[in-house]
Coordinates of all heavy atoms in Angstrom, one line a residue:
M107 N 2.8 -34.6 -24.8 CA 1.7 -34.8 -23.9 C 1.2 -33.5 -23.4 O 2.1 -32.6 -23.1 CB 2.1 -35.7 -22.7 CG 1.1 -35.9 -21.7 SD 1.5 -37.1 -20.5 CE 0.1 -38.2 -20.4
V108 N 0.1 -33.2 -23.3 CA -0.6 -31.8 -23.0 C -0.7 -31.8 -21.5 O -1.1 -32.8 -20.8 CB -2.0 -31.8 -23.5 CG1 -2.7 -30.5 -23.1 CG2 -1.9 -31.8 -25.1
K109 N -0.4 -30.7 -20.9 CA -0.4 -30.5 -19.5 C -1.8 -30.0 -19.2 O -2.3 -29.2 -19.7 CB 0.6 -29.4 -19.0 CG 0.7 -29.2 -17.5 CD 1.9 -28.3 -17.2 CE 1.9 -28.1 -15.7 NZ 2.9 -27.2 -15.3
P110 N -2.4 -30.6 -18.1 CA -3.8 -30.2 -17.6 C -3.8 -28.8 -17.3 O -2.9 -28.3 -16.6 CB -4.1 -31.2 -16.6 CG -2.9 -31.7 -16.2 CD -1.9 -31.7 -17.2
D111 N -4.9 -28.2 -17.4 CA -5.1 -26.8 -16.9 C -5.5 -26.8 -15.5 O -6.6 -26.9 -15.1 CB -6.1 -26.0 -17.8 CG -6.3 -24.6 -17.5 OD1 -5.6 -24.0 -16.6 OD2 -7.2 -24.0 -17.9
S112 N -4.4 -26.7 -14.7 CA -4.7 -26.7 -13.1 C -5.7 -25.7 -12.6 O -6.4 -25.9 -11.8 CB -3.3 -26.7 -12.4 OG -2.5 -27.7 -12.7
K113 N -5.6 -24.5 -13.1 CA -6.4 -23.4 -12.7 C -7.9 -23.7 -12.9 O -8.8 -23.5 -12.1 CB -6.1 -22.1 -13.3 CG -6.7 -21.0 -12.9 CD -6.5 -19.7 -13.5 CE -7.4 -18.5 -13.1 NZ -7.4 -17.3 -14.0
M114 N -8.1 -24.2 -14.2 CA -9.5 -24.5 -14.5 C -10.0 -25.7 -13.7 O -11.1 -25.6 -13.1 CB -9.7 -24.8 -16.0 CG -11.1 -25.1 -16.4 SD -12.2 -23.8 -16.1 CE -11.7 -22.8 -17.4
I115 N -9.2 -26.7 -13.4 CA -9.6 -27.9 -12.6 C -9.9 -27.4 -11.2 O -10.8 -27.8 -10.7 CB -8.5 -28.9 -12.7 CG1 -8.4 -29.6 -14.0 CG2 -8.7 -30.0 -11.6 CD1 -7.3 -30.4 -14.3
A116 N -9.0 -26.5 -10.6 CA -9.2 -26.0 -9.4 C -10.5 -25.2 -9.1 O -11.2 -25.3 -8.1 CB -8.1 -25.1 -9.0
Q117 N -10.7 -24.5 -10.1 CA -11.9 -23.5 -10.1 C -13.1 -24.5 -10.1 O -14.1 -24.3 -9.4 CB -12.0 -22.7 -11.3 CG -13.1 -21.7 -11.5 CD -13.0 -20.7 -12.6 OE1 -12.0 -20.6 -13.2 NE2 -14.2 -20.2 -12.9
V118 N -13.2 -25.4 -10.9 CA -14.3 -26.4 -11.1 C -14.5 -27.1 -9.7 O -15.6 -27.3 -9.2 CB -14.3 -27.3 -12.2 CG1 -15.3 -28.3 -12.2 CG2 -14.4 -26.6 -13.6
M119 N -13.4 -27.6 -9.2 CA -13.3 -28.2 -8.0 C -14.1 -27.4 -6.7 O -14.7 -27.8 -5.9 CB -12.0 -28.8 -7.5 CG -11.4 -29.9 -8.5 SD -12.2 -31.5 -8.2 CE -11.7 -31.8 -6.4
L120 N -13.5 -26.2 -6.8 CA -13.9 -25.3 -5.7 C -15.4 -25.1 -5.8 O -16.2 -24.9 -4.9 CB -13.2 -24.0 -5.8 CG -11.7 -24.1 -5.1 CD1 -10.9 -22.8 -5.4 CD2 -11.7 -24.3 -3.7
Y121 N -15.9 -24.6 -7.0 CA -17.4 -24.4 -7.3 C -18.2 -25.6 -6.9 O -19.1 -25.5 -6.4 CB -17.6 -24.1 -8.7 CG -17.5 -22.8 -9.1 CD1 -16.7 -22.3 -10.3 CD2 -18.0 -21.7 -8.4 CE1 -16.5 -21.0 -10.6 CE2 -17.8 -20.3 -8.7 CZ -17.1 -20.0 -9.9 OH -17.0 -18.6 -10.2
S122 N -17.7 -26.9 -7.2 CA -18.4 -28.0 -6.8 C -18.5 -28.3 -5.3 O -19.3 -29.0 -4.9 CB -17.8 -29.3 -7.4 OG -16.6 -29.7 -7.0
Q123 N -17.6 -27.8 -4.7 CA -17.6 -27.8 -3.2 C -18.2 -26.7 -2.5 O -18.3 -26.6 -1.3 CB -16.0 -27.7 -2.6 CG -15.2 -28.9 -3.0 CD -15.6 -30.3 -2.6 OE1 -16.1 -30.4 -1.5 NE2 -15.4 -31.3 -3.4
G124 N -18.8 -25.8 -3.3 CA -19.7 -24.8 -2.7 C -19.0 -23.4 -2.4 O -19.6 -22.7 -1.7
I125 N -17.8 -23.3 -2.9 CA -17.1 -22.0 -2.5 C -17.4 -21.1 -3.7 O -17.1 -21.2 -4.8 CB -15.6 -22.4 -2.4 CG1 -15.4 -23.4 -1.2 CG2 -14.7 -21.1 -2.2 CD1 -14.1 -23.9 -1.0
E126 N -18.0 -20.0 -3.3 CA -18.4 -19.0 -4.4 C -17.3 -18.1 -5.0 O -17.5 -17.7 -6.1 CB -19.5 -18.0 -3.5 CG -20.6 -18.8 -3.2 CD -21.7 -17.8 -2.3 OE1 -21.3 -16.6 -2.2 OE2 -22.5 -18.3 -1.9
S127 N -16.3 -18.0 -4.3 CA -15.2 -17.2 -4.7 C -14.2 -18.1 -5.5 O -12.9 -17.8 -5.6 CB -14.6 -16.3 -3.6 OG -14.1 -17.2 -2.7
A128 N -14.6 -19.1 -6.1 CA -13.8 -20.1 -6.7 C -12.8 -19.5 -7.8 O -11.8 -19.9 -8.0 CB -14.6 -21.3 -7.3
Q129 N -13.4 -18.5 -8.7 CA -12.6 -18.0 -9.8 C -11.2 -17.3 -9.3 O -10.2 -17.6 -9.9 CB -13.4 -17.1 -10.6 CG -12.8 -16.6 -11.8 CD -13.7 -15.7 -12.7 OE1 -14.8 -15.3 -12.2 NE2 -13.2 -15.3 -13.8
H130 N -11.3 -16.6 -8.2 CA -10.3 -16.0 -7.7 C -9.4 -16.7 -6.8 O -8.2 -16.8 -6.8 CB -10.7 -14.6 -6.9 CG -11.4 -13.7 -7.6 ND1 -10.9 -12.9 -8.6 CD2 -12.7 -13.3 -7.5 CE1 -11.8 -12.1 -9.1 NE2 -12.9 -12.4 -8.6
L131 N -10.0 -17.7 -6.1 CA -9.2 -18.6 -5.2 C -8.5 -19.7 -6.0 O -7.3 -20.1 -5.5 CB -10.1 -19.2 -4.2 CG -10.7 -18.3 -3.2 CD1 -11.6 -19.0 -2.1 CD2 -9.6 -17.7 -2.3
S132 N -9.0 -20.1 -7.1 CA -8.4 -21.1 -7.8 C -6.9 -20.6 -8.5 O -6.0 -21.3 -8.3 CB -9.1 -21.6 -8.9 OG -9.4 -20.5 -9.9
S133 N -7.0 -19.3 -8.9 CA -5.6 -18.8 -9.4 C -4.6 -18.6 -8.2 O -3.5 -18.9 -8.5 CB -5.9 -17.5 -10.1 OG -6.4 -16.6 -9.2
K134 N -5.1 -18.3 -7.0 CA -4.2 -18.1 -6.0 C -3.6 -19.4 -5.5 O -2.4 -19.7 -5.2 CB -5.0 -17.4 -4.8 CG -5.4 -16.0 -5.0 CD -4.2 -15.2 -5.2 CE -4.6 -13.7 -5.3 NZ -3.5 -12.8 -5.5
V135 N -4.4 -20.5 -5.4 CA -4.1 -21.7 -4.9 C -3.1 -22.4 -6.0 O -2.0 -23.0 -5.5 CB -5.3 -22.7 -4.7 CG1 -4.7 -24.1 -4.4 CG2 -6.1 -22.2 -3.5
V136 N -3.4 -22.2 -7.2 CA -2.5 -23.0 -8.3 C -1.2 -22.1 -8.3 O -0.1 -22.7 -8.2 CB -3.2 -22.8 -9.5 CG1 -2.3 -23.2 -10.8 CG2 -4.3 -23.8 -9.6
S137 N -1.2 -20.8 -8.1 CA 0.0 -20.0 -8.1 C 0.9 -20.5 -6.8 O 2.1 -20.5 -6.9 CB -0.3 -18.5 -8.0 OG -0.9 -18.2 -9.1
L138 N 0.3 -20.7 -5.7 CA 0.9 -21.1 -4.5 C 1.6 -22.5 -4.8 O 2.7 -22.6 -4.5 CB 0.1 -21.2 -3.3 CG 0.7 -21.9 -2.1 CD1 1.7 -20.9 -1.5 CD2 -0.4 -22.1 -1.0
F139 N 0.9 -23.3 -5.3 CA 1.3 -24.7 -5.7 C 2.6 -24.7 -6.6 O 3.5 -25.3 -6.5 CB 0.4 -25.7 -6.3 CG -0.3 -26.4 -5.2 CD1 -1.1 -25.9 -4.2 CD2 -0.3 -27.8 -5.2 CE1 -1.7 -26.7 -3.3 CE2 -0.9 -28.6 -4.3 CZ -1.6 -28.1 -3.3
Q140 N 2.5 -23.7 -7.6 CA 3.6 -23.6 -8.7 C 4.8 -22.9 -8.0 O 6.0 -23.4 -8.2 CB 3.2 -22.8 -9.8 CG 2.1 -23.5 -10.7 CD 1.4 -22.6 -11.7 OE1 1.6 -21.3 -11.7 NE2 0.8 -23.2 -12.6
L141 N 4.6 -22.0 -7.1 CA 5.7 -21.4 -6.4 C 6.3 -22.3 -5.4 O 7.6 -22.4 -5.4 CB 5.2 -20.0 -5.6 CG 6.3 -19.3 -4.9 CD1 7.2 -18.7 -5.7 CD2 5.6 -18.3 -4.0
C142 N 5.6 -23.1 -4.7 CA 6.2 -24.2 -3.9 C 7.0 -25.1 -4.6 O 8.1 -25.7 -4.2 CB 5.1 -24.8 -3.0 SG 4.4 -23.8 -1.7
E143 N 6.5 -25.6 -5.8 CA 7.2 -26.6 -6.6 C 8.5 -26.0 -7.1 O 9.5 -26.8 -7.2 CB 6.3 -27.0 -7.8 CG 6.9 -28.0 -8.6 CD 5.8 -28.5 -9.6 OE1 4.9 -27.9 -10.0 OE2 6.0 -29.7 -10.1
A144 N 8.6 -24.7 -7.5 CA 9.7 -24.2 -8.0 C 10.7 -24.0 -6.9 O 12.1 -23.9 -7.2 CB 9.3 -22.8 -8.7
K145 N 10.3 -23.5 -5.7 CA 11.4 -23.0 -4.7 C 11.7 -24.2 -3.8 O 12.8 -24.0 -3.2 CB 10.6 -21.9 -3.9 CG 10.3 -20.6 -4.7 CD 11.5 -19.9 -5.1 CE 11.3 -18.7 -5.9 NZ 12.5 -18.0 -6.4
M146 N 10.9 -25.1 -3.6 CA 11.3 -26.2 -2.6 C 12.2 -27.2 -3.3 O 12.1 -27.5 -4.6 CB 10.0 -26.8 -2.1 CG 9.4 -25.8 -1.2 SD 8.1 -26.7 -0.3 CE 7.6 -25.4 0.8
S147 N 12.8 -28.0 -2.6 CA 13.8 -29.0 -3.2 C 12.9 -30.1 -3.8 O 11.7 -30.3 -3.4 CB 14.7 -29.5 -2.2 OG 13.9 -30.2 -1.1
S148 N 13.5 -30.9 -4.6 CA 12.7 -32.0 -5.3 C 12.7 -33.3 -4.5 O 13.0 -34.4 -5.1 CB 13.2 -32.2 -6.7 OG 14.5 -32.6 -6.7
Q149 N 12.5 -33.2 -3.2 CA 12.5 -34.4 -2.5 C 11.0 -35.0 -2.6 O 10.2 -34.5 -2.9 CB 12.7 -34.1 -1.0 CG 14.1 -33.6 -0.8 CD 14.3 -33.2 0.7 OE1 13.7 -33.8 1.6 NE2 15.4 -32.4 0.9
S150 N 11.1 -36.4 -2.4 CA 9.9 -37.1 -2.6 C 8.8 -36.9 -1.8 O 7.6 -37.1 -2.2 CB 10.2 -38.6 -2.5 OG 10.6 -39.0 -1.2
H151 N 9.0 -36.3 -0.6 CA 7.8 -36.0 0.4 C 7.1 -34.6 0.0 O 6.2 -34.4 0.6 CB 8.3 -36.1 1.8 CG 9.5 -35.1 2.2 ND1 10.8 -35.5 2.1 CD2 9.4 -33.8 2.7 CE1 11.5 -34.4 2.3 NE2 10.8 -33.5 2.7
Y152 N 7.7 -33.8 -0.9 CA 7.1 -32.7 -1.4 C 6.3 -33.1 -2.6 O 6.7 -33.5 -3.6 CB 8.0 -31.6 -1.8 CG 8.8 -31.0 -0.6 CD1 10.2 -30.7 -0.7 CD2 8.2 -30.6 0.6 CE1 10.9 -30.1 0.4 CE2 8.9 -30.2 1.6 CZ 10.2 -29.8 1.5 OH 10.9 -29.2 2.6
D153 N 4.9 -33.0 -2.5 CA 4.1 -33.3 -3.7 C 3.2 -32.1 -4.0 O 2.3 -31.8 -3.2 CB 3.1 -34.5 -3.2 CG 2.4 -35.1 -4.4 OD1 2.6 -34.7 -5.5 OD2 1.4 -35.7 -4.1
F154 N 3.4 -31.5 -5.1 CA 2.6 -30.5 -5.5 C 1.9 -30.7 -6.8 O 1.8 -29.8 -7.7 CB 3.5 -29.2 -5.6 CG 4.2 -28.8 -4.3 CD1 5.4 -29.0 -4.1 CD2 3.3 -28.3 -3.2 CE1 6.1 -28.7 -3.0 CE2 3.9 -27.9 -2.2 CZ 5.3 -28.1 -1.9
T155 N 1.5 -32.0 -7.1 CA 1.0 -32.5 -8.3 C -0.5 -32.2 -8.3 O -1.2 -31.6 -7.3 CB 1.3 -33.9 -8.5 OG1 0.7 -34.6 -7.4 CG2 2.7 -34.3 -8.6
L156 N -1.3 -32.5 -9.4 CA -2.5 -32.3 -9.5 C -3.3 -33.1 -8.3 O -4.4 -32.7 -7.9 CB -3.1 -32.7 -10.9 CG -4.4 -32.4 -11.3 CD1 -4.6 -30.8 -11.1 CD2 -4.7 -32.7 -12.7
R157 N -2.8 -34.3 -8.1 CA -3.4 -35.2 -7.0 C -3.3 -34.4 -5.7 O -4.5 -34.4 -5.0 CB -2.7 -36.5 -6.9 CG -3.2 -37.3 -5.9 CD -2.5 -38.7 -5.7 NE -2.2 -39.3 -7.0 CZ -1.1 -39.9 -7.3 NH1 -0.3 -40.2 -6.4 NH2 -1.1 -40.5 -8.5
A158 N -2.3 -33.7 -5.4 CA -2.4 -33.0 -4.0 C -3.3 -31.7 -4.1 O -3.8 -31.4 -3.1 CB -0.8 -32.6 -3.8
L159 N -3.3 -31.1 -5.2 CA -4.1 -30.1 -5.4 C -5.7 -30.4 -5.2 O -6.3 -29.9 -4.4 CB -3.9 -29.4 -6.8 CG -4.9 -28.2 -7.1 CD1 -4.6 -27.0 -6.1 CD2 -4.8 -27.7 -8.6
K160 N -6.1 -31.5 -5.8 CA -7.3 -32.0 -5.6 C -7.7 -32.4 -4.2 O -8.7 -32.1 -3.8 CB -7.5 -33.3 -6.5 CG -8.9 -33.8 -6.7 CD -9.1 -35.0 -7.4 CE -10.3 -35.7 -7.4 NZ -10.6 -36.9 -8.0
T161 N -6.7 -33.1 -3.5 CA -6.9 -33.4 -2.2 C -7.1 -32.2 -1.3 O -8.1 -32.2 -0.4 CB -5.7 -34.2 -1.6 OG1 -5.5 -35.4 -2.5 CG2 -5.8 -34.7 -0.2
L162 N -6.3 -31.1 -1.5 CA -6.5 -29.9 -0.7 C -7.8 -29.4 -1.0 O -8.6 -28.9 0.0 CB -5.5 -28.9 -1.1 CG -5.6 -27.6 -0.5 CD1 -5.2 -27.5 0.9 CD2 -4.8 -26.4 -1.3
L163 N -8.3 -29.3 -2.3 CA -9.6 -28.7 -2.4 C -10.8 -29.4 -2.0 O -11.8 -28.8 -1.4 CB -9.7 -28.4 -4.0 CG -8.7 -27.6 -4.7 CD1 -8.9 -27.6 -6.2 CD2 -8.7 -26.1 -4.0
I164 N -10.7 -30.8 -2.0 CA -11.8 -31.6 -1.4 C -11.8 -31.3 0.1 O -12.9 -31.4 0.6 CB -11.6 -33.0 -1.9 CG1 -11.9 -33.2 -3.3 CG2 -12.3 -34.0 -0.9 CD1 -11.5 -34.5 -3.9
S165 N -10.6 -31.3 0.6 CA -10.6 -31.1 2.1 C -11.3 -29.8 2.5 O -11.9 -29.6 3.6 CB -9.1 -31.2 2.7 OG -8.6 -32.4 2.5
A166 N -10.9 -28.8 1.7 CA -11.5 -27.4 2.0 C -13.1 -27.4 1.9 O -13.7 -27.0 2.8 CB -11.0 -26.4 1.0
G167 N -13.6 -28.2 0.9 CA -15.1 -28.3 0.8 C -15.6 -29.1 2.0 O -16.7 -28.8 2.6
G168 N -15.0 -30.2 2.3 CA -15.5 -31.0 3.6 C -15.4 -30.2 4.8 O -16.2 -30.3 5.6
L169 N -14.4 -29.3 5.1 CA -14.4 -28.4 6.2 C -15.4 -27.4 6.1 O -16.1 -27.3 7.2 CB -13.2 -27.6 6.2 CG -12.9 -26.7 7.4 CD1 -12.9 -27.5 8.8 CD2 -11.5 -25.9 7.2
K170 N -15.8 -26.9 5.0 CA -16.9 -26.0 4.8 C -18.2 -26.7 5.2 O -19.0 -26.2 5.9 CB -17.0 -25.3 3.5 CG -18.2 -24.3 3.3 CD -18.1 -23.7 2.0 CE -19.3 -22.7 1.9 NZ -19.4 -22.1 0.7
R171 N -18.4 -27.8 4.7 CA -19.6 -28.6 5.0 C -19.8 -29.0 6.4 O -20.9 -29.0 7.0 CB -19.7 -29.9 4.1 CG -20.1 -29.7 2.6 CD -20.3 -30.9 1.9 NE -19.3 -31.9 1.8 CZ -18.1 -31.8 1.1 NH1 -18.1 -30.7 0.2 NH2 -17.1 -32.6 1.0
K172 N -18.7 -29.4 7.1 CA -18.8 -29.7 8.4 C -19.2 -28.6 9.3 O -19.9 -28.7 10.1 CB -17.3 -30.2 8.8 CG -17.1 -30.7 10.2 CD -15.8 -31.2 10.6 CE -15.6 -31.5 12.1 NZ -14.3 -32.0 12.3
I173 N -18.8 -27.3 8.9 CA -19.0 -26.2 9.7 C -20.5 -25.8 9.5 O -21.1 -25.4 10.5 CB -18.1 -25.1 9.4 CG1 -16.7 -25.3 9.9 CG2 -18.6 -23.7 10.0 CD1 -15.6 -24.4 9.3
I174 N -20.9 -25.9 8.3 CA -22.4 -25.7 8.0 C -23.3 -26.7 8.8 O -24.3 -26.2 9.3 CB -22.7 -25.6 6.5 CG1 -21.9 -24.4 5.9 CG2 -24.0 -25.5 6.1 CD1 -22.0 -24.4 4.5
E175 N -23.0 -27.9 8.7 CA -23.6 -29.0 9.4 C -23.7 -28.8 10.9 O -24.9 -29.0 11.4 CB -23.2 -30.3 9.1 CG -23.5 -30.9 7.7 CD -22.7 -32.2 7.3 OE1 -22.1 -32.8 8.4 OE2 -22.7 -32.6 6.2
K176 N -22.7 -28.2 11.4 CA -22.6 -28.0 12.9 C -23.8 -27.0 13.2 O -24.3 -27.0 14.3 CB -21.3 -27.3 13.3 CG -20.6 -28.2 14.2 CD -19.3 -27.4 14.5 CE -18.6 -28.1 15.7 NZ -17.3 -27.4 15.9
G177 N -24.1 -26.0 12.3 CA -25.1 -25.1 12.5 C -24.7 -24.0 13.3 O -25.6 -23.2 13.9
D178 N -23.4 -23.8 13.5 CA -22.8 -22.7 14.3 C -23.0 -21.3 13.5 O -22.2 -21.1 12.7 CB -21.5 -23.0 14.6 CG -20.9 -21.9 15.7 OD1 -21.7 -21.1 16.2 OD2 -19.7 -22.1 16.0
G179 N -24.1 -20.6 13.9 CA -24.2 -19.3 13.1 C -23.0 -18.4 13.1 O -22.8 -17.8 12.1
K180 N -22.4 -18.3 14.2 CA -21.3 -17.4 14.3 C -20.1 -17.9 13.4 O -19.5 -17.1 12.7 CB -20.7 -17.3 15.8 CG -19.6 -16.4 16.0 CD -19.1 -16.4 17.4 CE -17.9 -15.3 17.6 NZ -16.8 -15.4 16.6
M181 N -19.9 -19.2 13.5 CA -18.8 -19.7 12.5 C -19.2 -19.5 11.0 O -18.2 -19.2 10.3 CB -18.7 -21.2 12.9 CG -17.5 -21.8 12.0 SD -15.9 -21.6 12.7 CE -15.8 -22.6 14.2
I182 N -20.5 -19.6 10.6 CA -20.8 -19.5 9.3 C -20.6 -18.0 8.8 O -20.0 -17.7 7.8 CB -22.2 -19.9 9.1 CG1 -22.3 -21.4 9.2 CG2 -22.7 -19.5 7.7 CD1 -23.8 -21.9 9.2
Q183 N -20.9 -17.1 9.8 CA -20.6 -15.7 9.6 C -19.1 -15.3 9.4 O -18.8 -14.6 8.5 CB -21.3 -14.8 10.7 CG -22.8 -14.8 10.5 CD -23.4 -14.1 12.0 OE1 -22.7 -13.6 12.7 NE2 -24.6 -13.9 11.9
D184 N -18.3 -16.1 10.3 CA -16.9 -15.9 10.1 C -16.3 -16.4 8.9 O -15.5 -15.7 8.3 CB -16.3 -16.5 11.3 CG -16.5 -16.0 12.7 OD1 -16.9 -14.8 12.8 OD2 -16.3 -16.7 13.7
I185 N -16.9 -17.4 8.4 CA -16.4 -18.0 7.2 C -16.8 -17.0 6.0 O -16.0 -16.8 5.1 CB -17.0 -19.4 6.8 CG1 -16.4 -20.4 7.8 CG2 -16.9 -19.8 5.3 CD1 -17.1 -21.6 7.7
A186 N -18.1 -16.6 6.1 CA -18.4 -15.6 5.0 C -17.7 -14.3 5.0 O -17.2 -13.7 4.1 CB -19.9 -15.3 5.1
R187 N -17.3 -13.8 6.3 CA -16.5 -12.6 6.3 C -15.1 -12.9 6.0 O -14.4 -12.0 5.2 CB -16.5 -12.2 7.9 CG -15.9 -10.8 8.1 CD -15.8 -10.4 9.5 NE -17.1 -10.5 10.1 CZ -17.4 -11.4 11.2 NH1 -16.5 -12.1 11.7 NH2 -18.6 -11.4 11.7
T188 N -14.5 -14.1 6.3 CA -13.2 -14.4 5.7 C -13.1 -14.4 4.2 O -12.2 -14.0 3.6 CB -12.7 -15.8 6.4 OG1 -12.8 -15.6 7.7 CG2 -11.3 -16.1 6.0
E189 N -14.1 -15.0 3.7 CA -14.3 -15.3 2.2 C -14.3 -13.8 1.4 O -13.7 -13.5 0.5 CB -15.4 -16.0 1.7 CG -15.3 -16.5 0.3 CD -16.4 -17.5 0.0 OE1 -16.7 -18.4 0.7 OE2 -16.9 -17.5 -1.2
N190 N -15.0 -12.9 2.2 CA -15.1 -11.6 1.6 C -13.9 -10.7 1.8 O -13.4 -10.0 1.0 CB -16.2 -10.8 2.4 CG -17.7 -11.1 1.9 OD1 -17.9 -11.7 0.7 ND2 -18.6 -11.0 2.7
D191 N -13.2 -11.0 2.9 CA -11.8 -10.4 3.2 C -10.7 -10.9 2.2 O -10.1 -10.1 1.5 CB -11.4 -10.7 4.6 CG -12.1 -10.0 5.6 OD1 -12.9 -9.0 5.3 OD2 -12.0 -10.4 6.8
V192 N -10.9 -12.2 1.9 CA -9.9 -12.6 0.7 C -10.3 -12.0 -0.6 O -9.3 -11.6 -1.3 CB -10.1 -14.3 0.7 CG1 -9.3 -14.8 -0.6 CG2 -9.6 -14.9 2.0
M193 N -11.5 -11.9 -1.0 CA -11.9 -11.3 -2.1 C -11.4 -9.8 -2.3 O -11.0 -9.3 -3.2 CB -13.5 -11.1 -2.4 CG -14.0 -12.6 -2.6 SD -13.4 -13.4 -3.8 CE -14.1 -12.3 -5.2
V194 N -11.5 -9.0 -1.0 CA -11.0 -7.6 -1.2 C -9.5 -7.6 -1.2 O -9.0 -6.8 -2.0 CB -11.5 -7.0 0.3 CG1 -10.8 -5.7 0.5 CG2 -12.9 -6.7 0.4
Q195 N -8.8 -8.5 -0.6 CA -7.4 -8.5 -0.8 C -6.9 -8.9 -2.2 O -5.8 -8.3 -2.6 CB -6.8 -9.6 0.2 CG -6.8 -9.2 1.7 CD -6.4 -10.2 2.7 OE1 -5.8 -11.2 2.3 NE2 -6.4 -9.9 4.0
I196 N -7.6 -9.7 -2.8 CA -7.3 -10.2 -4.2 C -7.5 -8.9 -5.1 O -6.7 -8.6 -6.0 CB -8.2 -11.4 -4.7 CG1 -7.8 -12.5 -3.8 CG2 -8.1 -11.5 -6.2 CD1 -8.6 -13.6 -4.1
A197 N -8.7 -8.2 -4.9 CA -8.9 -7.0 -5.9 C -7.9 -5.8 -5.6 O -6.8 -5.8 -5.6 CB -10.3 -6.5 -5.5

């Protein structure tokens, strides 16, 4: 059975949620999930599958939309600054 490309799926999900730095963030999120899966015990309450990844990415998009709908200009600027800071740290 072929394993799905989690990085590509995460990238598409992030782009569809309106996150512009999806290419860089997708590799970071997938790496985090892989590291957690490798280092944590295999208990049933730890779930690092594609389903959990998708849930996290959809929640991130929902949070971004909620903040934008609020219309809080300072909050939107903070999000843009945080996204830029993440991009600088990745580079």
Side-chain angles (χ1 to χ4, degrees):
M107 183 175 219
V108 178
K109 186 175 179 183
D111 185 2
S112 297
K113 183 181 173 196
M114 182 61 69
I115 293 170
Q117 184 176 345
V118 170
M119 293 281 306
L120 286 169
Y121 274 130
S122 71
Q123 297 297 326
I125 297 174
E126 295 173 2
S127 58
Q129 186 173 5
H130 298 292
L131 290 177
S132 63
S133 62
K134 295 292 185 180
V135 170
V136 170
S137 296
L138 175 67
F139 265 64
Q140 290 171 345
L141 182 65
C142 289
E143 186 175 24
K145 297 293 181 180
M146 293 185 175
S147 63
S148 60
Q149 296 181 21
S150 62
H151 58 272
Y152 292 138
D153 182 19
F154 301 106
T155 60
L156 193 57
R157 181 182 307 153
L159 178 64
K160 183 179 175 189
T161 301
L162 173 75
L163 300 175
I164 290 172
S165 297
L169 181 61
K170 182 177 180 179
R171 282 189 302 279
K172 182 178 177 182
I173 291 169
I174 290 172
E175 286 174 3
K176 242 181 171 178
D178 188 3
K180 183 182 181 313
M181 185 72 78
I182 293 171
Q183 290 173 353
D184 289 344
I185 291 172
R187 189 176 315 113
T188 301
E189 193 169 322
N190 287 335
D191 290 345
V192 168
M193 294 297 295
V194 168
Q195 290 176 1
I196 291 171

